[in-house]
mmCIF file of all heavy atoms in Angstrom:
data_model
loop_
_atom_site.group_PDB
_atom_site.id
_atom_site.type_symbol
_atom_site.label_atom_id
_atom_site.label_comp_id
_atom_site.label_asym_id
_atom_site.label_seq_id
_atom_site.Cartn_x
_atom_site.Cartn_y
_atom_site.Cartn_z
ATOM 1 N N LYS A 1 124.429 62.983 81.842
ATOM 2 C CA LYS A 1 124.338 63.044 83.305
ATOM 3 C C LYS A 1 124.537 64.465 83.809
ATOM 4 O O LYS A 1 123.840 64.915 84.713
ATOM 5 C CB LYS A 1 125.349 62.097 83.943
ATOM 6 C CG LYS A 1 124.976 60.650 83.817
ATOM 7 C CD LYS A 1 125.947 59.756 84.535
ATOM 8 C CE LYS A 1 125.537 58.290 84.371
ATOM 9 N NZ LYS A 1 126.438 57.400 85.079
ATOM 10 N N ILE A 2 125.491 65.165 83.197
ATOM 11 C CA ILE A 2 125.709 66.573 83.580
ATOM 12 C C ILE A 2 124.459 67.383 83.265
ATOM 13 O O ILE A 2 124.003 68.195 84.078
ATOM 14 C CB ILE A 2 126.942 67.154 82.855
ATOM 15 C CG1 ILE A 2 128.216 66.545 83.416
ATOM 16 C CG2 ILE A 2 126.981 68.668 83.004
ATOM 17 C CD1 ILE A 2 129.476 66.978 82.710
ATOM 18 N N GLY A 3 123.890 67.177 82.110
ATOM 19 C CA GLY A 3 122.668 67.888 81.716
ATOM 20 C C GLY A 3 121.521 67.582 82.658
ATOM 21 O O GLY A 3 120.770 68.476 83.068
ATOM 22 N N GLU A 4 121.353 66.315 83.022
ATOM 23 C CA GLU A 4 120.298 65.931 83.959
ATOM 24 C C GLU A 4 120.532 66.571 85.329
ATOM 25 O O GLU A 4 119.589 67.052 85.970
ATOM 26 C CB GLU A 4 120.241 64.412 84.090
ATOM 27 C CG GLU A 4 119.651 63.709 82.894
ATOM 28 C CD GLU A 4 119.682 62.193 83.041
ATOM 29 O OE1 GLU A 4 119.783 61.693 84.187
ATOM 30 O OE2 GLU A 4 119.596 61.513 82.009
ATOM 31 N N THR A 5 121.784 66.563 85.779
ATOM 32 C CA THR A 5 122.118 67.158 87.077
ATOM 33 C C THR A 5 121.810 68.652 87.074
ATOM 34 O O THR A 5 121.205 69.177 88.019
ATOM 35 C CB THR A 5 123.605 66.927 87.413
ATOM 36 O OG1 THR A 5 123.858 65.527 87.430
ATOM 37 C CG2 THR A 5 123.960 67.528 88.751
ATOM 38 N N ILE A 6 122.188 69.332 86.007
ATOM 39 C CA ILE A 6 121.917 70.766 85.902
ATOM 40 C C ILE A 6 120.414 71.015 85.875
ATOM 41 O O ILE A 6 119.907 71.909 86.567
ATOM 42 C CB ILE A 6 122.608 71.363 84.657
ATOM 43 C CG1 ILE A 6 124.127 71.366 84.860
ATOM 44 C CG2 ILE A 6 122.092 72.765 84.364
ATOM 45 C CD1 ILE A 6 124.925 71.746 83.622
ATOM 46 N N SER A 7 119.682 70.217 85.135
ATOM 47 C CA SER A 7 118.221 70.373 85.075
ATOM 48 C C SER A 7 117.584 70.126 86.431
ATOM 49 O O SER A 7 116.703 70.875 86.863
ATOM 50 C CB SER A 7 117.621 69.401 84.057
ATOM 51 O OG SER A 7 118.021 69.727 82.767
ATOM 52 N N THR A 8 118.048 69.084 87.117
ATOM 53 C CA THR A 8 117.507 68.760 88.435
ATOM 54 C C THR A 8 117.775 69.893 89.420
ATOM 55 O O THR A 8 116.883 70.323 90.160
ATOM 56 C CB THR A 8 118.116 67.442 88.965
ATOM 57 O OG1 THR A 8 117.800 66.390 88.049
ATOM 58 C CG2 THR A 8 117.582 67.101 90.336
ATOM 59 N N LYS A 9 119.002 70.371 89.435
ATOM 60 C CA LYS A 9 119.359 71.466 90.352
ATOM 61 C C LYS A 9 118.585 72.738 90.017
ATOM 62 O O LYS A 9 118.160 73.461 90.920
ATOM 63 C CB LYS A 9 120.870 71.734 90.318
ATOM 64 C CG LYS A 9 121.700 70.595 90.863
ATOM 65 C CD LYS A 9 121.352 70.315 92.310
ATOM 66 C CE LYS A 9 122.148 69.135 92.833
ATOM 67 N NZ LYS A 9 121.760 68.735 94.159
ATOM 68 N N SER A 10 118.386 73.001 88.729
ATOM 69 C CA SER A 10 117.615 74.183 88.323
ATOM 70 C C SER A 10 116.183 74.089 88.830
ATOM 71 O O SER A 10 115.627 75.069 89.330
ATOM 72 C CB SER A 10 117.605 74.321 86.804
ATOM 73 O OG SER A 10 118.889 74.588 86.320
ATOM 74 N N ARG A 11 115.582 72.903 88.698
ATOM 75 C CA ARG A 11 114.218 72.710 89.203
ATOM 76 C C ARG A 11 114.168 72.885 90.715
ATOM 77 O O ARG A 11 113.239 73.506 91.247
ATOM 78 C CB ARG A 11 113.695 71.330 88.812
ATOM 79 C CG ARG A 11 113.155 71.256 87.403
ATOM 80 C CD ARG A 11 112.373 69.970 87.143
ATOM 81 N NE ARG A 11 113.198 68.762 87.320
ATOM 82 C CZ ARG A 11 113.955 68.213 86.387
ATOM 83 N NH1 ARG A 11 114.017 68.762 85.190
ATOM 84 N NH2 ARG A 11 114.650 67.128 86.626
ATOM 85 N N GLU A 12 115.173 72.355 91.406
ATOM 86 C CA GLU A 12 115.207 72.490 92.868
ATOM 87 C C GLU A 12 115.310 73.953 93.282
ATOM 88 O O GLU A 12 114.622 74.398 94.204
ATOM 89 C CB GLU A 12 116.382 71.692 93.442
ATOM 90 C CG GLU A 12 116.203 70.195 93.386
ATOM 91 C CD GLU A 12 117.455 69.428 93.839
ATOM 92 O OE1 GLU A 12 118.429 70.064 94.297
ATOM 93 O OE2 GLU A 12 117.451 68.194 93.717
ATOM 94 N N VAL A 13 116.165 74.701 92.591
ATOM 95 C CA VAL A 13 116.313 76.128 92.899
ATOM 96 C C VAL A 13 115.011 76.866 92.601
ATOM 97 O O VAL A 13 114.561 77.703 93.398
ATOM 98 C CB VAL A 13 117.495 76.734 92.099
ATOM 99 C CG1 VAL A 13 117.492 78.249 92.163
ATOM 100 C CG2 VAL A 13 118.820 76.176 92.609
ATOM 101 N N THR A 14 114.390 76.554 91.487
ATOM 102 C CA THR A 14 113.122 77.186 91.129
ATOM 103 C C THR A 14 112.041 76.861 92.160
ATOM 104 O O THR A 14 111.293 77.745 92.587
ATOM 105 C CB THR A 14 112.665 76.728 89.728
ATOM 106 O OG1 THR A 14 113.675 77.074 88.781
ATOM 107 C CG2 THR A 14 111.361 77.362 89.329
ATOM 108 N N ASP A 15 111.975 75.602 92.578
ATOM 109 C CA ASP A 15 110.989 75.201 93.580
ATOM 110 C C ASP A 15 111.229 75.915 94.906
ATOM 111 O O ASP A 15 110.286 76.379 95.550
ATOM 112 C CB ASP A 15 111.022 73.683 93.791
ATOM 113 C CG ASP A 15 110.465 72.910 92.601
ATOM 114 O OD1 ASP A 15 109.792 73.538 91.746
ATOM 115 O OD2 ASP A 15 110.710 71.688 92.531
ATOM 116 N N LYS A 16 112.485 76.021 95.290
ATOM 117 C CA LYS A 16 112.799 76.725 96.540
ATOM 118 C C LYS A 16 112.431 78.199 96.444
ATOM 119 O O LYS A 16 111.919 78.780 97.396
ATOM 120 C CB LYS A 16 114.265 76.553 96.899
ATOM 121 C CG LYS A 16 114.599 75.169 97.374
ATOM 122 C CD LYS A 16 115.787 75.183 98.291
ATOM 123 C CE LYS A 16 116.150 73.761 98.645
ATOM 124 N NZ LYS A 16 115.620 73.351 99.907
ATOM 125 N N ALA A 17 112.684 78.804 95.304
ATOM 126 C CA ALA A 17 112.329 80.214 95.104
ATOM 127 C C ALA A 17 110.818 80.396 95.187
ATOM 128 O O ALA A 17 110.332 81.352 95.801
ATOM 129 C CB ALA A 17 112.858 80.706 93.763
ATOM 130 N N LYS A 18 110.060 79.474 94.577
ATOM 131 C CA LYS A 18 108.597 79.540 94.659
ATOM 132 C C LYS A 18 108.135 79.390 96.101
ATOM 133 O O LYS A 18 107.240 80.107 96.560
ATOM 134 C CB LYS A 18 107.961 78.456 93.794
ATOM 135 C CG LYS A 18 108.035 78.718 92.313
ATOM 136 C CD LYS A 18 107.406 77.575 91.525
ATOM 137 C CE LYS A 18 107.549 77.772 90.042
ATOM 138 N NZ LYS A 18 107.010 76.635 89.273
ATOM 139 N N ASP A 19 108.749 78.445 96.835
ATOM 140 C CA ASP A 19 108.391 78.243 98.240
ATOM 141 C C ASP A 19 108.680 79.491 99.057
ATOM 142 O O ASP A 19 107.865 79.907 99.892
ATOM 143 C CB ASP A 19 109.154 77.054 98.836
ATOM 144 C CG ASP A 19 108.672 75.713 98.308
ATOM 145 O OD1 ASP A 19 107.603 75.674 97.669
ATOM 146 O OD2 ASP A 19 109.375 74.707 98.542
ATOM 147 N N MET A 20 109.847 80.102 98.822
ATOM 148 C CA MET A 20 110.207 81.307 99.564
ATOM 149 C C MET A 20 109.237 82.445 99.258
ATOM 150 O O MET A 20 108.843 83.192 100.161
ATOM 151 C CB MET A 20 111.646 81.710 99.247
ATOM 152 C CG MET A 20 112.673 80.751 99.826
ATOM 153 S SD MET A 20 114.374 81.114 99.339
ATOM 154 C CE MET A 20 114.578 82.743 100.026
ATOM 155 N N ALA A 21 108.839 82.571 98.005
ATOM 156 C CA ALA A 21 107.880 83.609 97.625
ATOM 157 C C ALA A 21 106.533 83.361 98.298
ATOM 158 O O ALA A 21 105.892 84.301 98.794
ATOM 159 C CB ALA A 21 107.723 83.660 96.109
ATOM 160 N N GLU A 22 106.110 82.105 98.340
ATOM 161 C CA GLU A 22 104.830 81.786 98.980
ATOM 162 C C GLU A 22 104.887 82.064 100.476
ATOM 163 O O GLU A 22 103.951 82.617 101.050
ATOM 164 C CB GLU A 22 104.459 80.321 98.729
ATOM 165 C CG GLU A 22 103.091 79.970 99.285
ATOM 166 C CD GLU A 22 102.657 78.549 98.967
ATOM 167 O OE1 GLU A 22 103.433 77.798 98.344
ATOM 168 O OE2 GLU A 22 101.535 78.199 99.367
ATOM 169 N N VAL A 23 106.008 81.704 101.114
ATOM 170 C CA VAL A 23 106.167 81.968 102.547
ATOM 171 C C VAL A 23 106.133 83.469 102.807
ATOM 172 O O VAL A 23 105.476 83.938 103.745
ATOM 173 C CB VAL A 23 107.470 81.332 103.081
ATOM 174 C CG1 VAL A 23 107.820 81.866 104.457
ATOM 175 C CG2 VAL A 23 107.353 79.815 103.115
ATOM 176 N N ALA A 24 106.814 84.242 101.969
ATOM 177 C CA ALA A 24 106.805 85.698 102.133
ATOM 178 C C ALA A 24 105.389 86.243 101.987
ATOM 179 O O ALA A 24 104.963 87.111 102.760
ATOM 180 C CB ALA A 24 107.734 86.345 101.120
ATOM 181 N N ASN A 25 104.647 85.733 101.026
ATOM 182 C CA ASN A 25 103.270 86.158 100.830
ATOM 183 C C ASN A 25 102.419 85.817 102.049
ATOM 184 O O ASN A 25 101.636 86.640 102.531
ATOM 185 C CB ASN A 25 102.701 85.495 99.571
ATOM 186 C CG ASN A 25 101.278 85.905 99.294
ATOM 187 O OD1 ASN A 25 100.374 85.600 100.063
ATOM 188 N ND2 ASN A 25 101.075 86.605 98.185
ATOM 189 N N LEU A 26 102.570 84.605 102.563
ATOM 190 C CA LEU A 26 101.793 84.182 103.737
ATOM 191 C C LEU A 26 102.153 85.010 104.963
ATOM 192 O O LEU A 26 101.278 85.393 105.748
ATOM 193 C CB LEU A 26 102.014 82.691 104.009
ATOM 194 C CG LEU A 26 101.468 81.753 102.922
ATOM 195 C CD1 LEU A 26 101.934 80.324 103.175
ATOM 196 C CD2 LEU A 26 99.964 81.821 102.850
ATOM 197 N N LYS A 27 103.436 85.324 105.120
ATOM 198 C CA LYS A 27 103.850 86.174 106.242
ATOM 199 C C LYS A 27 103.241 87.564 106.127
ATOM 200 O O LYS A 27 102.846 88.165 107.121
ATOM 201 C CB LYS A 27 105.371 86.259 106.323
ATOM 202 C CG LYS A 27 106.001 85.014 106.883
ATOM 203 C CD LYS A 27 107.503 85.177 107.058
ATOM 204 C CE LYS A 27 108.099 83.953 107.711
ATOM 205 N NZ LYS A 27 109.533 84.127 107.996
ATOM 206 N N GLY A 28 103.146 88.070 104.903
ATOM 207 C CA GLY A 28 102.496 89.358 104.684
ATOM 208 C C GLY A 28 101.027 89.316 105.074
ATOM 209 O O GLY A 28 100.501 90.250 105.686
ATOM 210 N N GLN A 29 100.365 88.224 104.745
ATOM 211 C CA GLN A 29 98.959 88.066 105.123
ATOM 212 C C GLN A 29 98.811 87.970 106.642
ATOM 213 O O GLN A 29 97.869 88.537 107.217
ATOM 214 C CB GLN A 29 98.371 86.833 104.454
ATOM 215 C CG GLN A 29 98.214 86.982 102.947
ATOM 216 C CD GLN A 29 97.646 85.739 102.305
ATOM 217 O OE1 GLN A 29 96.741 85.113 102.843
ATOM 218 N NE2 GLN A 29 98.185 85.366 101.147
ATOM 219 N N ILE A 30 99.735 87.267 107.288
ATOM 220 C CA ILE A 30 99.710 87.166 108.755
ATOM 221 C C ILE A 30 99.879 88.551 109.363
ATOM 222 O O ILE A 30 99.157 88.927 110.299
ATOM 223 C CB ILE A 30 100.805 86.211 109.260
ATOM 224 C CG1 ILE A 30 100.440 84.767 108.904
ATOM 225 C CG2 ILE A 30 101.030 86.362 110.765
ATOM 226 C CD1 ILE A 30 101.566 83.768 109.133
ATOM 227 N N HIS A 31 100.812 89.338 108.835
ATOM 228 C CA HIS A 31 101.039 90.698 109.340
ATOM 229 C C HIS A 31 99.778 91.553 109.183
ATOM 230 O O HIS A 31 99.418 92.308 110.093
ATOM 231 C CB HIS A 31 102.220 91.329 108.609
ATOM 232 C CG HIS A 31 102.561 92.694 109.074
ATOM 233 N ND1 HIS A 31 103.129 92.934 110.303
ATOM 234 C CD2 HIS A 31 102.376 93.901 108.503
ATOM 235 C CE1 HIS A 31 103.280 94.233 110.455
ATOM 236 N NE2 HIS A 31 102.833 94.844 109.369
ATOM 237 N N THR A 32 99.107 91.411 108.058
ATOM 238 C CA THR A 32 97.862 92.149 107.839
ATOM 239 C C THR A 32 96.811 91.753 108.878
ATOM 240 O O THR A 32 96.132 92.624 109.443
ATOM 241 C CB THR A 32 97.325 91.886 106.418
ATOM 242 O OG1 THR A 32 98.300 92.337 105.471
ATOM 243 C CG2 THR A 32 96.001 92.583 106.175
ATOM 244 N N CYS A 33 96.694 90.462 109.152
ATOM 245 C CA CYS A 33 95.744 89.991 110.169
ATOM 246 C C CYS A 33 96.104 90.547 111.540
ATOM 247 O O CYS A 33 95.225 90.975 112.296
ATOM 248 C CB CYS A 33 95.717 88.464 110.215
ATOM 249 S SG CYS A 33 94.965 87.710 108.756
ATOM 250 N N GLU A 34 97.391 90.550 111.870
ATOM 251 C CA GLU A 34 97.830 91.093 113.156
ATOM 252 C C GLU A 34 97.491 92.575 113.268
ATOM 253 O O GLU A 34 97.059 93.043 114.330
ATOM 254 C CB GLU A 34 99.336 90.881 113.334
ATOM 255 C CG GLU A 34 99.726 89.445 113.556
ATOM 256 C CD GLU A 34 101.222 89.197 113.524
ATOM 257 O OE1 GLU A 34 101.977 90.032 112.967
ATOM 258 O OE2 GLU A 34 101.642 88.154 114.059
ATOM 259 N N ASP A 35 97.657 93.326 112.179
ATOM 260 C CA ASP A 35 97.300 94.745 112.179
ATOM 261 C C ASP A 35 95.809 94.940 112.423
ATOM 262 O O ASP A 35 95.408 95.818 113.191
ATOM 263 C CB ASP A 35 97.684 95.406 110.851
ATOM 264 C CG ASP A 35 99.166 95.685 110.735
ATOM 265 O OD1 ASP A 35 99.884 95.620 111.750
ATOM 266 O OD2 ASP A 35 99.616 95.978 109.600
ATOM 267 N N VAL A 36 94.997 94.125 111.765
ATOM 268 C CA VAL A 36 93.544 94.213 111.951
ATOM 269 C C VAL A 36 93.196 93.943 113.411
ATOM 270 O O VAL A 36 92.401 94.675 114.019
ATOM 271 C CB VAL A 36 92.801 93.232 111.016
ATOM 272 C CG1 VAL A 36 91.344 93.089 111.402
ATOM 273 C CG2 VAL A 36 92.937 93.672 109.566
ATOM 274 N N ILE A 37 93.794 92.913 113.982
ATOM 275 C CA ILE A 37 93.525 92.558 115.378
ATOM 276 C C ILE A 37 93.937 93.695 116.306
ATOM 277 O O ILE A 37 93.175 94.092 117.196
ATOM 278 C CB ILE A 37 94.238 91.243 115.753
ATOM 279 C CG1 ILE A 37 93.591 90.070 115.014
ATOM 280 C CG2 ILE A 37 94.226 91.020 117.264
ATOM 281 C CD1 ILE A 37 94.397 88.781 115.069
ATOM 282 N N ARG A 38 95.149 94.248 116.096
ATOM 283 C CA ARG A 38 95.625 95.352 116.948
ATOM 284 C C ARG A 38 94.674 96.545 116.872
ATOM 285 O O ARG A 38 94.336 97.153 117.900
ATOM 286 C CB ARG A 38 97.027 95.784 116.521
ATOM 287 C CG ARG A 38 98.149 95.165 117.312
ATOM 288 C CD ARG A 38 99.488 95.827 117.024
ATOM 289 N NE ARG A 38 99.918 95.708 115.649
ATOM 290 C CZ ARG A 38 100.498 94.635 115.131
ATOM 291 N NH1 ARG A 38 100.719 93.585 115.876
ATOM 292 N NH2 ARG A 38 100.862 94.615 113.863
ATOM 293 N N LYS A 39 94.249 96.883 115.654
ATOM 294 C CA LYS A 39 93.353 98.030 115.484
ATOM 295 C C LYS A 39 92.012 97.789 116.170
ATOM 296 O O LYS A 39 91.453 98.694 116.795
ATOM 297 C CB LYS A 39 93.148 98.327 113.999
ATOM 298 C CG LYS A 39 94.371 98.939 113.349
ATOM 299 C CD LYS A 39 94.183 99.130 111.858
ATOM 300 C CE LYS A 39 95.449 99.651 111.215
ATOM 301 N NZ LYS A 39 95.350 99.743 109.758
ATOM 302 N N ARG A 40 91.498 96.580 116.056
ATOM 303 C CA ARG A 40 90.210 96.274 116.683
ATOM 304 C C ARG A 40 90.330 96.274 118.208
ATOM 305 O O ARG A 40 89.416 96.734 118.899
ATOM 306 C CB ARG A 40 89.657 94.938 116.182
ATOM 307 C CG ARG A 40 89.261 94.974 114.740
ATOM 308 C CD ARG A 40 88.236 96.064 114.500
ATOM 309 N NE ARG A 40 87.860 96.075 113.103
ATOM 310 C CZ ARG A 40 87.115 97.001 112.559
ATOM 311 N NH1 ARG A 40 86.647 97.981 113.284
ATOM 312 N NH2 ARG A 40 86.832 96.949 111.294
#
């Protein structure tokens, strides 16, 4: 049970880290679009 709990929590942390990285990437893309719009 301890092993399963540790594995589950590790997966949750990994998934959250992936989500945060994806959100950061998407925010970067949004910023790039905003820059293009401002320049135009």
Side-chain angles (χ1 to χ4, degrees):
K1 287 184 180 181
I2 289 176
E4 287 177 21
T5 301
I6 291 172
S7 293
T8 300
K9 294 300 178 186
S10 294
R11 278 192 299 273
E12 289 174 6
V13 168
T14 301
D15 289 345
K16 288 207 185 262
K18 286 179 184 177
D19 289 348
M20 290 175 61
E22 184 176 2
V23 166
N25 181 295
L26 294 171
K27 285 185 176 185
Q29 291 179 41
I30 289 170
H31 182 71
T32 299
C33 290
E34 290 171 340
D35 283 346
V36 168
I37 291 167
R38 264 191 298 279
K39 288 176 184 175
R40 292 303 180 188

